[in-house]
């Protein structure tokens, strides 16, 4: 049995896979190239770069498992894989701290205009008045999606003395109480929050969960953060609210189309952006690579996977 790794994966994960199976690494393949190759492999290991389409799955006659070294499986046609009896696993815990820390870094960068001030001073300007910020202390942070990352963000935001209000239909009142988080509806959060951050998967229910209507309800001067998936916040609605001045700033790590080179959001001075860096820490990449390697090895040896 052979394993194909089609996105960059930490050396620690590759070494682990190699202890048990033959491993080929081929990154940057087109859909056709991957479809041609995949028939030789029993396992495919990916990150976010590979789109595992139906065409690829249709050609995957020996594939037993697709391992996603990360959380989101939205780049895998899970229905087609399941129909063909291919197990899809992810590594949901390895990058949650990194993604939460990135979100907090975005909140602080937004509140103090750090990226803009850095650019300004490096271009030999001394613009102290222009970059007046706001404190986060005592402000309300609205969290949409109180799962692994949303929870870690809430805990860290409370450490900054923010009050956290969250919407997550699958989280119990008891769990929210334990975290010191108030549960509320999306619309109530839009009305109350000074900062709004989304941490849901991208699904039919969450696509555009923050849309024109929701922006309409927000307080003037609200700041919005998306380190989850492009499309949870409607980008066109965000653009409108930036233009009207309702939104004082946005921090985006993810976009509907990545890389977002033609995205008008990149033109706004009060929008700060990072190229999908939420999980890009040494620690997270080692964690997810090892975790996915263990899952793949277990399944290929006839055992179970934890994170299907
Ligand atoms: P998770 O599954 O632990 O949590 C997601 C939460 O969203 C769950 O609690 C779930 O109940 C909730 N949810 C589902 N549908 C909802 C809805 N309609 N309304 C409100 N809440 C809803 O996932 P996670 O690990 O916390 O990841 C959150 C997001 O962050 C995912 O989209 C993931 O792909 C993304 N992510 C991004 C990066 C990055 O590099 N930027 C890194 C890691 C994860
Ligand atoms: C994830 O879903 O884990 C993140 O988007 C990070 C990544 O793509 O590696």
């Amino acid at each position: 049995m052979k394993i194909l790794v089609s996105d960059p994966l930490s050396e620690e994960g590759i070494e682990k896979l190699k202890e048990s199976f033959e491993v080929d690494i081929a990154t940057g393949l087109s859909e056709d190239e991957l479809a041609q190759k995949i028939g030789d492999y029993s396992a495919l290991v990916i990150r976010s770069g590979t789109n595992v389409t139906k065409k690829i799955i249709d050609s995957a006659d020996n594939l037993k498992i697709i391992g996603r070294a990360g959380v989101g499986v939205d780049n895998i046609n899970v229905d087609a894989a399941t129909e063909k009896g291919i197990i899809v696993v992810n590594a949901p815990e390895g990058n949650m701290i990194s993604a939460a820390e990135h979100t907090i870094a975005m909140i602080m960068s937004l509140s103090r205009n750090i990226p803009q001030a850095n650019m300004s001073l490096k271009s030999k300007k001394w613009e102290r008045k222009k970059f007046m910020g706001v404190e986060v202390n005592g402000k309300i942070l609205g969290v949409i999606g109180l799962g692994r990352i949303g929870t870690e963000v809430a805990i860290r935001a409370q450490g900054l003395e923010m009050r956290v209000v969250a919407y997550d239909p699958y989280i119990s009142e008891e769990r929210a109480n334990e975290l010191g988080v108030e549960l509320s509806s999306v619309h109530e959060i839009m009305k109350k929050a000074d900062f709004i951050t989304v941490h849901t998967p991208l699904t039919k229910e969450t696509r555009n969960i923050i849309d024109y209507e929701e922006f309409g309800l927000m307080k003037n001067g609200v700041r919005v953060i998306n380190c989850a998936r492009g499309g949870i916040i409607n980008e066109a609605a965000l653009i409108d609210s930036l233009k009207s001045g309702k939104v004082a700033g946005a921090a985006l790590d993810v976009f509907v189309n990545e890389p977002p080179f033609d995205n008008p959001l990149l033109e706004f001075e009060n929008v700060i952006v990072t190229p999908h860096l939420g999980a890009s820490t040494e620690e997270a990449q080692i964690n997810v690579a090892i975790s996915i390697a263990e899952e793949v090895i277990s399944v290929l040896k006839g055992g179970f996977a934890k994170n299907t």
Side-chain angles (χ1 to χ4, degrees):
M1 283 193 277
K2 286 204 300 178
I3 299 169
L4 178 64
V5 177
S6 66
D7 284 321
L9 190 74
S10 268
E11 209 36 54
E12 286 80 352
I14 306 268
E15 286 312 313
K16 190 157 235 357
L17 290 170
K18 281 184 176 166
E19 284 167 17
S20 302
F21 295 99
E22 191 182 329
V23 179
D24 288 340
I25 301 169
T27 58
L29 297 176
S30 67
E31 184 186 31
D32 283 342
E33 286 168 334
L34 185 51
Q36 261 173 21
K37 260 182 165 308
I38 197 71
D40 296 339
Y41 295 94
S42 302
L44 173 66
V45 176
I46 62 165
R47 279 180 56 206
S48 56
T50 303
N51 271 318
V52 189
T53 59
K54 180 155 179 356
K55 180 173 181 176
I56 292 166
I57 287 166
D58 285 345
S59 315
D61 291 332
N62 294 306
L63 205 64
K64 294 187 175 10
I65 178 167
I66 302 169
R68 162 71 160 101
V71 180
V73 290
D74 39 336
N75 53 329
I76 303 170
N77 188 329
V78 179
D79 289 342
T82 308
E83 219 166 273
K84 213 166 165 167
I86 300 167
I87 300 170
V88 175
V89 295
N90 69 350
E93 282 166 14
N95 63 26
M96 66 184 191
I97 300 297
S98 292
E101 288 184 356
H102 195 73
T103 306
I104 296 292
M106 290 294 229
I107 292 172
M108 295 312 299
S109 300
L110 257 187
S111 65
R112 304 305 293 269
N113 303 303
I114 289 170
Q116 298 91 333
N118 173 66
M119 291 240 300
S120 160
L121 182 51
K122 285 186 171 175
S123 62
K124 312 278 182 247
K125 291 186 199 147
W126 189 253
E127 301 182 293
R128 299 185 63 223
K129 197 168 170 201
K130 183 172 174 189
F131 296 121
M132 178 74 71
V134 291
E135 291 185 354
V136 300
N137 181 73
K139 298 282 163 40
I140 298 183
L141 174 66
V143 176
I144 310 296
L146 197 61
R148 293 181 185 87
I149 297 168
T151 296
E152 295 300 332
V153 169
I155 292 168
R156 283 156 181 75
Q158 286 167 335
L160 295 167
E161 308 283 348
M162 297 184 88
R163 196 178 126 204
V164 182
V165 182
Y167 170 71
D168 189 322
Y170 307 105
I171 293 291
S172 66
E173 203 63 57
E174 197 187 6
R175 174 71 183 138
N177 287 342
E178 268 169 27
L179 292 167
V181 169
E182 181 189 326
L183 286 181
S184 193
S185 67
V186 172
H187 283 186
E188 281 309 311
I189 293 174
M190 299 301 118
K191 290 182 203 162
K192 288 190 221 181
D194 302 291
F195 291 78
I196 296 169
T197 183
V198 294
H199 297 287
T200 66
L202 180 64
T203 63
K204 271 186 235 128
E205 288 77 39
T206 63
R207 187 178 295 280
N208 296 336
I209 197 167
I210 301 190
D211 212 329
Y212 288 94
E213 186 184 358
E214 287 68 34
F215 278 105
L217 296 170
M218 289 179 197
K219 289 195 324 204
N220 286 331
V222 65
R223 289 172 173 81
V224 177
I225 302 100
N226 187 358
C227 291
R229 278 292 178 273
I232 296 172
I233 296 175
N234 182 332
E235 290 181 345
L238 172 58
I239 289 170
D240 263 20
S241 299
L242 285 158
K243 282 186 179 156
S244 73
K246 168 157 256 180
V247 171
L252 307 171
D253 185 46
V254 288
F255 304 86
V256 170
N257 294 310
E258 295 179 6
F261 297 138
D262 298 327
N263 192 322
L265 282 163
L266 267 57
E267 308 299 322
F268 290 84
E269 204 190 352
N270 52 350
V271 173
I272 63 177
V273 291
T274 47
H276 204 140
L277 290 184
S280 293
T281 62
E282 292 168 14
E283 295 85 351
Q285 286 314 311
I286 293 172
N287 291 342
V288 295
I290 290 177
S291 157
I292 214 64
E294 286 170 350
E295 293 278 66
V296 166
I297 291 166
S298 166
V299 169
L300 292 187
K301 288 187 172 173
F304 294 100
K306 281 184 291 181
N307 300 306
T308 48

